[in-house]
PDB file of all heavy atoms in Angstrom:
ATOM      1  N   CYS A 147    -107.800 -49.002 -23.284  1.00  0.00           N
ATOM      2  CA  CYS A 147    -108.857 -48.524 -24.160  1.00  0.00           C
ATOM      3  C   CYS A 147    -110.135 -49.259 -23.790  1.00  0.00           C
ATOM      4  O   CYS A 147    -110.156 -50.490 -23.786  1.00  0.00           O
ATOM      5  CB  CYS A 147    -108.513 -48.764 -25.624  1.00  0.00           C
ATOM      6  SG  CYS A 147    -107.058 -47.862 -26.167  1.00  0.00           S
ATOM      7  N   LEU A 148    -111.188 -48.523 -23.470  1.00  0.00           N
ATOM      8  CA  LEU A 148    -112.456 -49.098 -23.045  1.00  0.00           C
ATOM      9  C   LEU A 148    -113.550 -48.666 -24.010  1.00  0.00           C
ATOM     10  O   LEU A 148    -113.577 -47.527 -24.467  1.00  0.00           O
ATOM     11  CB  LEU A 148    -112.799 -48.619 -21.631  1.00  0.00           C
ATOM     12  CG  LEU A 148    -111.687 -48.782 -20.595  1.00  0.00           C
ATOM     13  CD1 LEU A 148    -112.011 -48.002 -19.347  1.00  0.00           C
ATOM     14  CD2 LEU A 148    -111.478 -50.239 -20.280  1.00  0.00           C
ATOM     15  N   ASN A 149    -114.461 -49.582 -24.308  1.00  0.00           N
ATOM     16  CA  ASN A 149    -115.534 -49.299 -25.234  1.00  0.00           C
ATOM     17  C   ASN A 149    -116.656 -50.302 -25.000  1.00  0.00           C
ATOM     18  O   ASN A 149    -116.421 -51.380 -24.451  1.00  0.00           O
ATOM     19  CB  ASN A 149    -115.031 -49.406 -26.673  1.00  0.00           C
ATOM     20  CG  ASN A 149    -115.932 -48.686 -27.654  1.00  0.00           C
ATOM     21  OD1 ASN A 149    -116.818 -47.956 -27.277  1.00  0.00           O
ATOM     22  ND2 ASN A 149    -115.681 -48.908 -28.923  1.00  0.00           N
ATOM     23  N   SER A 150    -117.864 -49.987 -25.412  1.00  0.00           N
ATOM     24  CA  SER A 150    -118.961 -50.944 -25.297  1.00  0.00           C
ATOM     25  C   SER A 150    -119.439 -51.336 -26.690  1.00  0.00           C
ATOM     26  O   SER A 150    -119.351 -50.551 -27.633  1.00  0.00           O
ATOM     27  CB  SER A 150    -120.121 -50.348 -24.500  1.00  0.00           C
ATOM     28  OG  SER A 150    -120.714 -49.312 -25.237  1.00  0.00           O
ATOM     29  N   VAL A 151    -119.936 -52.525 -26.812  1.00  0.00           N
ATOM     30  CA  VAL A 151    -120.421 -53.023 -28.088  1.00  0.00           C
ATOM     31  C   VAL A 151    -121.761 -52.384 -28.448  1.00  0.00           C
ATOM     32  O   VAL A 151    -122.018 -52.057 -29.600  1.00  0.00           O
ATOM     33  CB  VAL A 151    -120.556 -54.568 -28.044  1.00  0.00           C
ATOM     34  CG1 VAL A 151    -121.182 -55.092 -29.309  1.00  0.00           C
ATOM     35  CG2 VAL A 151    -119.210 -55.204 -27.819  1.00  0.00           C
ATOM     36  N   ASP A 152    -122.612 -52.172 -27.448  1.00  0.00           N
ATOM     37  CA  ASP A 152    -123.960 -51.671 -27.722  1.00  0.00           C
ATOM     38  C   ASP A 152    -124.081 -50.145 -27.688  1.00  0.00           C
ATOM     39  O   ASP A 152    -125.164 -49.601 -27.856  1.00  0.00           O
ATOM     40  CB  ASP A 152    -124.951 -52.282 -26.737  1.00  0.00           C
ATOM     41  CG  ASP A 152    -124.676 -51.877 -25.293  1.00  0.00           C
ATOM     42  OD1 ASP A 152    -123.706 -51.128 -25.046  1.00  0.00           O
ATOM     43  OD2 ASP A 152    -125.423 -52.319 -24.418  1.00  0.00           O
ATOM     44  N   GLY A 153    -122.998 -49.436 -27.474  1.00  0.00           N
ATOM     45  CA  GLY A 153    -123.024 -47.975 -27.472  1.00  0.00           C
ATOM     46  C   GLY A 153    -123.496 -47.355 -26.167  1.00  0.00           C
ATOM     47  O   GLY A 153    -123.681 -46.151 -26.092  1.00  0.00           O
ATOM     48  N   SER A 154    -123.696 -48.168 -25.142  1.00  0.00           N
ATOM     49  CA  SER A 154    -124.181 -47.645 -23.865  1.00  0.00           C
ATOM     50  C   SER A 154    -123.114 -46.864 -23.107  1.00  0.00           C
ATOM     51  O   SER A 154    -123.430 -46.057 -22.240  1.00  0.00           O
ATOM     52  CB  SER A 154    -124.703 -48.787 -22.991  1.00  0.00           C
ATOM     53  OG  SER A 154    -123.665 -49.705 -22.692  1.00  0.00           O
ATOM     54  N   THR A 155    -121.875 -47.100 -23.409  1.00  0.00           N
ATOM     55  CA  THR A 155    -120.760 -46.415 -22.772  1.00  0.00           C
ATOM     56  C   THR A 155    -119.863 -45.839 -23.854  1.00  0.00           C
ATOM     57  O   THR A 155    -119.583 -46.497 -24.849  1.00  0.00           O
ATOM     58  CB  THR A 155    -119.945 -47.391 -21.902  1.00  0.00           C
ATOM     59  OG1 THR A 155    -120.811 -47.996 -20.960  1.00  0.00           O
ATOM     60  CG2 THR A 155    -118.826 -46.685 -21.177  1.00  0.00           C
ATOM     61  N   GLY A 156    -119.401 -44.637 -23.647  1.00  0.00           N
ATOM     62  CA  GLY A 156    -118.523 -44.002 -24.621  1.00  0.00           C
ATOM     63  C   GLY A 156    -117.128 -44.608 -24.629  1.00  0.00           C
ATOM     64  O   GLY A 156    -116.728 -45.308 -23.705  1.00  0.00           O
ATOM     65  N   PHE A 157    -116.396 -44.325 -25.688  1.00  0.00           N
ATOM     66  CA  PHE A 157    -115.011 -44.775 -25.802  1.00  0.00           C
ATOM     67  C   PHE A 157    -114.160 -43.988 -24.819  1.00  0.00           C
ATOM     68  O   PHE A 157    -114.346 -42.784 -24.626  1.00  0.00           O
ATOM     69  CB  PHE A 157    -114.500 -44.548 -27.222  1.00  0.00           C
ATOM     70  CG  PHE A 157    -113.042 -44.829 -27.377  1.00  0.00           C
ATOM     71  CD1 PHE A 157    -112.591 -46.121 -27.533  1.00  0.00           C
ATOM     72  CD2 PHE A 157    -112.120 -43.805 -27.335  1.00  0.00           C
ATOM     73  CE1 PHE A 157    -111.244 -46.390 -27.658  1.00  0.00           C
ATOM     74  CE2 PHE A 157    -110.765 -44.056 -27.464  1.00  0.00           C
ATOM     75  CZ  PHE A 157    -110.331 -45.357 -27.620  1.00  0.00           C
ATOM     76  N   ARG A 158    -113.204 -44.652 -24.200  1.00  0.00           N
ATOM     77  CA  ARG A 158    -112.262 -43.991 -23.309  1.00  0.00           C
ATOM     78  C   ARG A 158    -110.892 -44.628 -23.467  1.00  0.00           C
ATOM     79  O   ARG A 158    -110.761 -45.850 -23.467  1.00  0.00           O
ATOM     80  CB  ARG A 158    -112.713 -44.110 -21.863  1.00  0.00           C
ATOM     81  CG  ARG A 158    -111.821 -43.327 -20.926  1.00  0.00           C
ATOM     82  CD  ARG A 158    -112.387 -43.283 -19.542  1.00  0.00           C
ATOM     83  NE  ARG A 158    -111.544 -42.436 -18.711  1.00  0.00           N
ATOM     84  CZ  ARG A 158    -111.518 -42.474 -17.412  1.00  0.00           C
ATOM     85  NH1 ARG A 158    -112.312 -43.299 -16.766  1.00  0.00           N
ATOM     86  NH2 ARG A 158    -110.717 -41.691 -16.728  1.00  0.00           N
TER      87      ARG A 158
END
Side-chain angles (χ1 to χ4, degrees):
C147 297
L148 309 167
N149 199 10
S150 68
V151 174
D152 64 359
S154 62
T155 304
F157 173 81
R158 185 172 184 200

